[in-house]
PDB file of all heavy atoms in Angstrom:
ATOM      1  N   LYS U 502     -54.328-139.542   9.250  1.00 95.00           N
ATOM      2  CA  LYS U 502     -55.220-138.583   8.625  1.00 95.00           C
ATOM      3  C   LYS U 502     -56.506-139.332   8.108  1.00 95.00           C
ATOM      4  O   LYS U 502     -56.313-140.338   7.431  1.00 95.00           O
ATOM      5  CB  LYS U 502     -54.552-137.812   7.491  1.00 95.00           C
ATOM      6  CG  LYS U 502     -53.506-136.823   7.960  1.00 95.00           C
ATOM      7  CD  LYS U 502     -52.972-136.024   6.747  1.00 95.00           C
ATOM      8  CE  LYS U 502     -52.037-134.897   7.213  1.00 95.00           C
ATOM      9  NZ  LYS U 502     -51.552-134.124   6.043  1.00 95.00           N
ATOM     10  N   ILE U 503     -57.627-138.748   8.333  1.00 96.00           N
ATOM     11  CA  ILE U 503     -58.874-139.244   7.870  1.00 96.00           C
ATOM     12  C   ILE U 503     -59.057-138.661   6.445  1.00 96.00           C
ATOM     13  O   ILE U 503     -59.000-137.437   6.335  1.00 96.00           O
ATOM     14  CB  ILE U 503     -60.039-138.991   8.775  1.00 96.00           C
ATOM     15  CG1 ILE U 503     -59.828-139.556  10.173  1.00 96.00           C
ATOM     16  CG2 ILE U 503     -61.360-139.382   8.202  1.00 96.00           C
ATOM     17  CD1 ILE U 503     -60.805-139.143  11.153  1.00 96.00           C
ATOM     18  N   PRO U 504     -59.292-139.451   5.426  1.00 94.00           N
ATOM     19  CA  PRO U 504     -59.470-138.863   4.125  1.00 94.00           C
ATOM     20  C   PRO U 504     -60.556-137.803   4.090  1.00 94.00           C
ATOM     21  O   PRO U 504     -61.626-137.917   4.688  1.00 94.00           O
ATOM     22  CB  PRO U 504     -59.852-140.074   3.227  1.00 94.00           C
ATOM     23  CG  PRO U 504     -59.197-141.251   3.952  1.00 94.00           C
ATOM     24  CD  PRO U 504     -59.312-140.859   5.390  1.00 94.00           C
ATOM     25  N   GLY U 505     -60.288-136.709   3.359  1.00 92.00           N
ATOM     26  CA  GLY U 505     -61.256-135.620   3.283  1.00 92.00           C
ATOM     27  C   GLY U 505     -61.067-134.603   4.328  1.00 92.00           C
ATOM     28  O   GLY U 505     -61.791-133.575   4.318  1.00 92.00           O
ATOM     29  N   GLY U 506     -60.252-134.822   5.226  1.00 91.00           N
ATOM     30  CA  GLY U 506     -59.989-133.835   6.310  1.00 91.00           C
ATOM     31  C   GLY U 506     -59.112-132.630   5.921  1.00 91.00           C
ATOM     32  O   GLY U 506     -58.632-132.563   4.700  1.00 91.00           O
ATOM     33  N   PRO U 507     -58.927-131.595   6.701  1.00 91.00           N
ATOM     34  CA  PRO U 507     -58.133-130.432   6.334  1.00 91.00           C
ATOM     35  C   PRO U 507     -56.724-130.846   6.009  1.00 91.00           C
ATOM     36  O   PRO U 507     -56.194-131.847   6.443  1.00 91.00           O
ATOM     37  CB  PRO U 507     -58.181-129.606   7.614  1.00 91.00           C
ATOM     38  CG  PRO U 507     -59.369-130.105   8.349  1.00 91.00           C
ATOM     39  CD  PRO U 507     -59.509-131.568   8.033  1.00 91.00           C
ATOM     40  N   ASP U 508     -56.029-130.040   5.191  1.00 88.00           N
ATOM     41  CA  ASP U 508     -54.649-130.206   4.838  1.00 88.00           C
ATOM     42  C   ASP U 508     -53.714-129.979   6.057  1.00 88.00           C
ATOM     43  O   ASP U 508     -54.067-129.263   6.990  1.00 88.00           O
ATOM     44  CB  ASP U 508     -54.237-129.349   3.661  1.00 88.00           C
ATOM     45  CG  ASP U 508     -54.957-129.687   2.355  1.00 88.00           C
ATOM     46  OD1 ASP U 508     -55.341-130.847   2.260  1.00 88.00           O
ATOM     47  OD2 ASP U 508     -55.069-128.850   1.538  1.00 88.00           O
ATOM     48  N   GLY U 509     -52.505-130.552   5.989  1.00 87.00           N
ATOM     49  CA  GLY U 509     -51.567-130.278   6.971  1.00 87.00           C
ATOM     50  C   GLY U 509     -51.857-130.787   8.359  1.00 87.00           C
ATOM     51  O   GLY U 509     -52.594-131.763   8.493  1.00 87.00           O
ATOM     52  N   ILE U 510     -51.269-130.140   9.320  1.00 85.00           N
ATOM     53  CA  ILE U 510     -51.424-130.586  10.745  1.00 85.00           C
ATOM     54  C   ILE U 510     -52.835-130.525  11.215  1.00 85.00           C
ATOM     55  O   ILE U 510     -53.182-131.273  12.127  1.00 85.00           O
ATOM     56  CB  ILE U 510     -50.464-129.781  11.613  1.00 85.00           C
ATOM     57  CG1 ILE U 510     -50.165-130.514  12.901  1.00 85.00           C
ATOM     58  CG2 ILE U 510     -51.051-128.441  11.914  1.00 85.00           C
ATOM     59  CD1 ILE U 510     -49.302-131.753  12.778  1.00 85.00           C
ATOM     60  N   LYS U 511     -53.666-129.692  10.650  1.00 89.00           N
ATOM     61  CA  LYS U 511     -55.062-129.586  11.057  1.00 89.00           C
ATOM     62  C   LYS U 511     -55.879-130.748  10.798  1.00 89.00           C
ATOM     63  O   LYS U 511     -57.071-130.930  11.248  1.00 89.00           O
ATOM     64  CB  LYS U 511     -55.709-128.322  10.504  1.00 89.00           C
ATOM     65  CG  LYS U 511     -55.123-127.005  11.019  1.00 89.00           C
ATOM     66  CD  LYS U 511     -55.768-125.776  10.463  1.00 89.00           C
ATOM     67  CE  LYS U 511     -55.137-124.473  10.955  1.00 89.00           C
ATOM     68  NZ  LYS U 511     -55.803-123.277  10.408  1.00 89.00           N
ATOM     69  N   GLY U 512     -55.395-131.653   9.849  1.00 91.00           N
ATOM     70  CA  GLY U 512     -56.132-132.791   9.476  1.00 91.00           C
ATOM     71  C   GLY U 512     -55.747-134.078  10.179  1.00 91.00           C
ATOM     72  O   GLY U 512     -56.132-135.189   9.739  1.00 91.00           O
ATOM     73  N   VAL U 513     -54.944-133.975  11.224  1.00 93.00           N
ATOM     74  CA  VAL U 513     -54.373-135.169  11.869  1.00 93.00           C
ATOM     75  C   VAL U 513     -55.295-135.490  13.071  1.00 93.00           C
ATOM     76  O   VAL U 513     -55.792-134.717  13.837  1.00 93.00           O
ATOM     77  CB  VAL U 513     -52.991-134.822  12.435  1.00 93.00           C
ATOM     78  CG1 VAL U 513     -52.431-135.976  13.351  1.00 93.00           C
ATOM     79  CG2 VAL U 513     -52.046-134.579  11.324  1.00 93.00           C
ATOM     80  N   SER U 514     -55.538-136.838  13.221  1.00 95.00           N
ATOM     81  CA  SER U 514     -56.294-137.400  14.252  1.00 95.00           C
ATOM     82  C   SER U 514     -55.533-138.465  15.081  1.00 95.00           C
ATOM     83  O   SER U 514     -54.477-138.955  14.560  1.00 95.00           O
ATOM     84  CB  SER U 514     -57.627-138.022  13.741  1.00 95.00           C
ATOM     85  OG  SER U 514     -58.412-137.129  13.047  1.00 95.00           O
ATOM     86  N   LEU U 515     -55.941-138.814  16.254  1.00 96.00           N
ATOM     87  CA  LEU U 515     -55.235-139.731  17.082  1.00 96.00           C
ATOM     88  C   LEU U 515     -56.078-141.041  17.318  1.00 96.00           C
ATOM     89  O   LEU U 515     -57.228-140.828  17.547  1.00 96.00           O
ATOM     90  CB  LEU U 515     -54.880-139.119  18.425  1.00 96.00           C
ATOM     91  CG  LEU U 515     -54.042-139.945  19.349  1.00 96.00           C
ATOM     92  CD1 LEU U 515     -52.671-140.315  18.793  1.00 96.00           C
ATOM     93  CD2 LEU U 515     -53.866-139.244  20.739  1.00 96.00           C
ATOM     94  N   PHE U 516     -55.428-142.164  17.211  1.00 97.00           N
ATOM     95  CA  PHE U 516     -56.137-143.413  17.289  1.00 97.00           C
ATOM     96  C   PHE U 516     -55.472-144.375  18.271  1.00 97.00           C
ATOM     97  O   PHE U 516     -54.234-144.344  18.340  1.00 97.00           O
ATOM     98  CB  PHE U 516     -56.194-144.065  15.893  1.00 97.00           C
ATOM     99  CG  PHE U 516     -56.948-143.234  14.922  1.00 97.00           C
ATOM    100  CD1 PHE U 516     -56.227-142.297  14.159  1.00 97.00           C
ATOM    101  CD2 PHE U 516     -58.289-143.377  14.708  1.00 97.00           C
ATOM    102  CE1 PHE U 516     -56.876-141.486  13.193  1.00 97.00           C
ATOM    103  CE2 PHE U 516     -58.962-142.563  13.798  1.00 97.00           C
ATOM    104  CZ  PHE U 516     -58.218-141.605  13.034  1.00 97.00           C
ATOM    105  N   ILE U 517     -56.256-145.149  18.894  1.00 98.00           N
ATOM    106  CA  ILE U 517     -55.800-146.312  19.687  1.00 98.00           C
ATOM    107  C   ILE U 517     -55.717-147.492  18.792  1.00 98.00           C
ATOM    108  O   ILE U 517     -56.768-147.859  18.171  1.00 98.00           O
ATOM    109  CB  ILE U 517     -56.705-146.658  20.912  1.00 98.00           C
ATOM    110  CG1 ILE U 517     -56.767-145.466  21.906  1.00 98.00           C
ATOM    111  CG2 ILE U 517     -56.319-147.957  21.590  1.00 98.00           C
ATOM    112  CD1 ILE U 517     -57.850-145.676  22.943  1.00 98.00           C
ATOM    113  N   VAL U 518     -54.503-148.109  18.634  1.00 98.00           N
ATOM    114  CA  VAL U 518     -54.406-149.295  17.757  1.00 98.00           C
ATOM    115  C   VAL U 518     -53.684-150.362  18.610  1.00 98.00           C
ATOM    116  O   VAL U 518     -52.450-150.410  18.711  1.00 98.00           O
ATOM    117  CB  VAL U 518     -53.573-148.920  16.482  1.00 98.00           C
ATOM    118  CG1 VAL U 518     -53.594-150.159  15.629  1.00 98.00           C
ATOM    119  CG2 VAL U 518     -54.135-147.667  15.777  1.00 98.00           C
ATOM    120  N   PRO U 519     -54.428-151.269  19.209  1.00 98.00           N
ATOM    121  CA  PRO U 519     -53.800-152.298  20.006  1.00 98.00           C
ATOM    122  C   PRO U 519     -53.123-153.310  19.157  1.00 98.00           C
ATOM    123  O   PRO U 519     -53.511-153.676  18.020  1.00 98.00           O
ATOM    124  CB  PRO U 519     -54.930-152.880  20.766  1.00 98.00           C
ATOM    125  CG  PRO U 519     -56.166-152.669  19.933  1.00 98.00           C
ATOM    126  CD  PRO U 519     -55.887-151.324  19.208  1.00 98.00           C
ATOM    127  N   LYS U 520     -51.993-153.918  19.695  1.00 98.00           N
ATOM    128  CA  LYS U 520     -51.341-155.046  18.999  1.00 98.00           C
ATOM    129  C   LYS U 520     -52.282-156.214  18.878  1.00 98.00           C
ATOM    130  O   LYS U 520     -52.380-156.860  17.808  1.00 98.00           O
ATOM    131  CB  LYS U 520     -50.112-155.403  19.781  1.00 98.00           C
ATOM    132  CG  LYS U 520     -49.344-156.659  19.264  1.00 98.00           C
ATOM    133  CD  LYS U 520     -48.189-156.981  20.177  1.00 98.00           C
ATOM    134  CE  LYS U 520     -47.541-158.286  19.758  1.00 98.00           C
ATOM    135  NZ  LYS U 520     -46.377-158.585  20.626  1.00 98.00           N
ATOM    136  N   PHE U 521     -52.943-156.559  19.970  1.00 98.00           N
ATOM    137  CA  PHE U 521     -54.073-157.558  19.946  1.00 98.00           C
ATOM    138  C   PHE U 521     -55.331-156.839  20.238  1.00 98.00           C
ATOM    139  O   PHE U 521     -55.410-156.034  21.199  1.00 98.00           O
ATOM    140  CB  PHE U 521     -53.795-158.593  21.011  1.00 98.00           C
ATOM    141  CG  PHE U 521     -52.620-159.473  20.757  1.00 98.00           C
ATOM    142  CD1 PHE U 521     -51.385-159.219  21.384  1.00 98.00           C
ATOM    143  CD2 PHE U 521     -52.712-160.504  19.889  1.00 98.00           C
ATOM    144  CE1 PHE U 521     -50.276-160.003  21.151  1.00 98.00           C
ATOM    145  CE2 PHE U 521     -51.601-161.292  19.621  1.00 98.00           C
ATOM    146  CZ  PHE U 521     -50.393-161.117  20.247  1.00 98.00           C
ATOM    147  N   LEU U 522     -56.410-157.161  19.445  1.00 98.00           N
ATOM    148  CA  LEU U 522     -57.700-156.565  19.733  1.00 98.00           C
ATOM    149  C   LEU U 522     -58.190-157.047  21.098  1.00 98.00           C
ATOM    150  O   LEU U 522     -57.802-158.118  21.637  1.00 98.00           O
ATOM    151  CB  LEU U 522     -58.690-156.953  18.619  1.00 98.00           C
ATOM    152  CG  LEU U 522     -58.306-156.436  17.234  1.00 98.00           C
ATOM    153  CD1 LEU U 522     -59.223-157.040  16.162  1.00 98.00           C
ATOM    154  CD2 LEU U 522     -58.357-154.924  17.168  1.00 98.00           C
ATOM    155  N   VAL U 523     -59.074-156.277  21.728  1.00 98.00           N
ATOM    156  CA  VAL U 523     -59.511-156.599  23.031  1.00 98.00           C
ATOM    157  C   VAL U 523     -60.971-157.059  22.984  1.00 98.00           C
ATOM    158  O   VAL U 523     -61.806-156.449  22.357  1.00 98.00           O
ATOM    159  CB  VAL U 523     -59.420-155.346  23.967  1.00 98.00           C
ATOM    160  CG1 VAL U 523     -59.956-155.678  25.367  1.00 98.00           C
ATOM    161  CG2 VAL U 523     -58.019-154.826  23.995  1.00 98.00           C
ATOM    162  N   ASN U 524     -61.198-158.233  23.564  1.00 97.00           N
ATOM    163  CA  ASN U 524     -62.558-158.761  23.562  1.00 97.00           C
ATOM    164  C   ASN U 524     -63.531-157.980  24.477  1.00 97.00           C
ATOM    165  O   ASN U 524     -63.016-157.244  25.302  1.00 97.00           O
ATOM    166  CB  ASN U 524     -62.510-160.260  24.029  1.00 97.00           C
ATOM    167  CG  ASN U 524     -61.722-161.165  23.039  1.00 97.00           C
ATOM    168  OD1 ASN U 524     -61.779-160.957  21.831  1.00 97.00           O
ATOM    169  ND2 ASN U 524     -60.966-162.041  23.612  1.00 97.00           N
ATOM    170  N   GLU U 525     -64.760-158.234  24.330  1.00 94.00           N
ATOM    171  CA  GLU U 525     -65.777-157.505  25.142  1.00 94.00           C
ATOM    172  C   GLU U 525     -65.572-157.721  26.624  1.00 94.00           C
ATOM    173  O   GLU U 525     -65.860-156.901  27.432  1.00 94.00           O
ATOM    174  CB  GLU U 525     -67.141-157.894  24.766  1.00 94.00           C
ATOM    175  CG  GLU U 525     -67.547-157.358  23.446  1.00 94.00           C
ATOM    176  CD  GLU U 525     -69.066-157.592  23.078  1.00 94.00           C
ATOM    177  OE1 GLU U 525     -69.736-158.050  23.991  1.00 94.00           O
ATOM    178  OE2 GLU U 525     -69.467-157.354  21.938  1.00 94.00           O
ATOM    179  N   ASP U 526     -65.054-158.891  27.048  1.00 95.00           N
ATOM    180  CA  ASP U 526     -64.789-159.145  28.450  1.00 95.00           C
ATOM    181  C   ASP U 526     -63.451-158.654  28.919  1.00 95.00           C
ATOM    182  O   ASP U 526     -63.073-158.887  30.056  1.00 95.00           O
ATOM    183  CB  ASP U 526     -64.927-160.680  28.729  1.00 95.00           C
ATOM    184  CG  ASP U 526     -63.869-161.488  28.005  1.00 95.00           C
ATOM    185  OD1 ASP U 526     -63.083-160.900  27.235  1.00 95.00           O
ATOM    186  OD2 ASP U 526     -63.811-162.736  28.180  1.00 95.00           O
ATOM    187  N   GLY U 527     -62.727-157.896  28.057  1.00 95.00           N
ATOM    188  CA  GLY U 527     -61.491-157.311  28.502  1.00 95.00           C
ATOM    189  C   GLY U 527     -60.249-158.185  28.242  1.00 95.00           C
ATOM    190  O   GLY U 527     -59.160-157.740  28.515  1.00 95.00           O
ATOM    191  N   THR U 528     -60.430-159.391  27.727  1.00 96.00           N
ATOM    192  CA  THR U 528     -59.367-160.245  27.540  1.00 96.00           C
ATOM    193  C   THR U 528     -58.687-159.934  26.170  1.00 96.00           C
ATOM    194  O   THR U 528     -59.332-159.305  25.331  1.00 96.00           O
ATOM    195  CB  THR U 528     -59.777-161.745  27.527  1.00 96.00           C
ATOM    196  OG1 THR U 528     -60.763-162.059  26.530  1.00 96.00           O
ATOM    197  CG2 THR U 528     -60.275-162.098  28.891  1.00 96.00           C
ATOM    198  N   VAL U 529     -57.476-160.470  26.002  1.00 97.00           N
ATOM    199  CA  VAL U 529     -56.757-160.217  24.685  1.00 97.00           C
ATOM    200  C   VAL U 529     -57.359-161.178  23.613  1.00 97.00           C
ATOM    201  O   VAL U 529     -57.517-162.356  23.845  1.00 97.00           O
ATOM    202  CB  VAL U 529     -55.269-160.496  24.881  1.00 97.00           C
ATOM    203  CG1 VAL U 529     -54.536-160.544  23.567  1.00 97.00           C
ATOM    204  CG2 VAL U 529     -54.619-159.462  25.843  1.00 97.00           C
ATOM    205  N   GLY U 530     -57.693-160.560  22.517  1.00 97.00           N
ATOM    206  CA  GLY U 530     -58.218-161.295  21.395  1.00 97.00           C
ATOM    207  C   GLY U 530     -57.287-161.535  20.225  1.00 97.00           C
ATOM    208  O   GLY U 530     -56.072-161.823  20.426  1.00 97.00           O
ATOM    209  N   GLU U 531     -57.791-161.480  19.024  1.00 97.00           N
ATOM    210  CA  GLU U 531     -56.958-161.802  17.853  1.00 97.00           C
ATOM    211  C   GLU U 531     -55.887-160.712  17.552  1.00 97.00           C
ATOM    212  O   GLU U 531     -56.097-159.530  17.907  1.00 97.00           O
ATOM    213  CB  GLU U 531     -57.859-162.058  16.651  1.00 97.00           C
ATOM    214  CG  GLU U 531     -58.628-160.879  16.188  1.00 97.00           C
ATOM    215  CD  GLU U 531     -59.574-161.196  15.019  1.00 97.00           C
ATOM    216  OE1 GLU U 531     -60.234-162.194  15.137  1.00 97.00           O
ATOM    217  OE2 GLU U 531     -59.599-160.404  14.081  1.00 97.00           O
ATOM    218  N   ARG U 532     -54.870-161.088  16.768  1.00 97.00           N
ATOM    219  CA  ARG U 532     -53.845-160.177  16.426  1.00 97.00           C
ATOM    220  C   ARG U 532     -54.353-159.142  15.455  1.00 97.00           C
ATOM    221  O   ARG U 532     -55.080-159.420  14.575  1.00 97.00           O
ATOM    222  CB  ARG U 532     -52.670-160.897  15.778  1.00 97.00           C
ATOM    223  CG  ARG U 532     -51.506-160.072  15.331  1.00 97.00           C
ATOM    224  CD  ARG U 532     -50.795-159.530  16.497  1.00 97.00           C
ATOM    225  NE  ARG U 532     -49.658-158.613  16.138  1.00 97.00           N
ATOM    226  CZ  ARG U 532     -48.369-159.018  16.126  1.00 97.00           C
ATOM    227  NH1 ARG U 532     -48.046-160.236  16.456  1.00 97.00           N
ATOM    228  NH2 ARG U 532     -47.491-158.108  15.741  1.00 97.00           N
ATOM    229  N   ASN U 533     -53.947-157.884  15.677  1.00 98.00           N
ATOM    230  CA  ASN U 533     -54.403-156.757  14.835  1.00 98.00           C
ATOM    231  C   ASN U 533     -53.407-156.643  13.609  1.00 98.00           C
ATOM    232  O   ASN U 533     -52.415-157.312  13.688  1.00 98.00           O
ATOM    233  CB  ASN U 533     -54.454-155.469  15.655  1.00 98.00           C
ATOM    234  CG  ASN U 533     -55.325-154.404  15.096  1.00 98.00           C
ATOM    235  OD1 ASN U 533     -55.913-154.516  14.005  1.00 98.00           O
ATOM    236  ND2 ASN U 533     -55.411-153.289  15.831  1.00 98.00           N
ATOM    237  N   GLY U 534     -53.739-155.816  12.675  1.00 98.00           N
ATOM    238  CA  GLY U 534     -52.938-155.701  11.517  1.00 98.00           C
ATOM    239  C   GLY U 534     -51.786-154.768  11.676  1.00 98.00           C
ATOM    240  O   GLY U 534     -51.562-153.822  10.901  1.00 98.00           O
ATOM    241  N   VAL U 535     -51.035-154.926  12.678  1.00 98.00           N
ATOM    242  CA  VAL U 535     -49.809-154.117  12.979  1.00 98.00           C
ATOM    243  C   VAL U 535     -48.650-155.074  13.271  1.00 98.00           C
ATOM    244  O   VAL U 535     -48.738-156.112  13.919  1.00 98.00           O
ATOM    245  CB  VAL U 535     -50.075-153.206  14.199  1.00 98.00           C
ATOM    246  CG1 VAL U 535     -50.533-153.984  15.449  1.00 98.00           C
ATOM    247  CG2 VAL U 535     -48.820-152.413  14.576  1.00 98.00           C
TER     248      VAL U 535
END
Side-chain angles (χ1 to χ4, degrees):
K502 289 185 173 181
I503 300 170
D508 292 334
I510 201 70
K511 293 181 179 179
V513 173
S514 302
L515 183 63
F516 300 88
I517 296 172
V518 187
K520 174 182 176 180
F521 292 99
L522 297 174
V523 180
N524 297 322
E525 288 187 7
D526 63 359
T528 59
V529 170
E531 64 184 46
R532 180 68 185 259
N533 203 356
V535 53

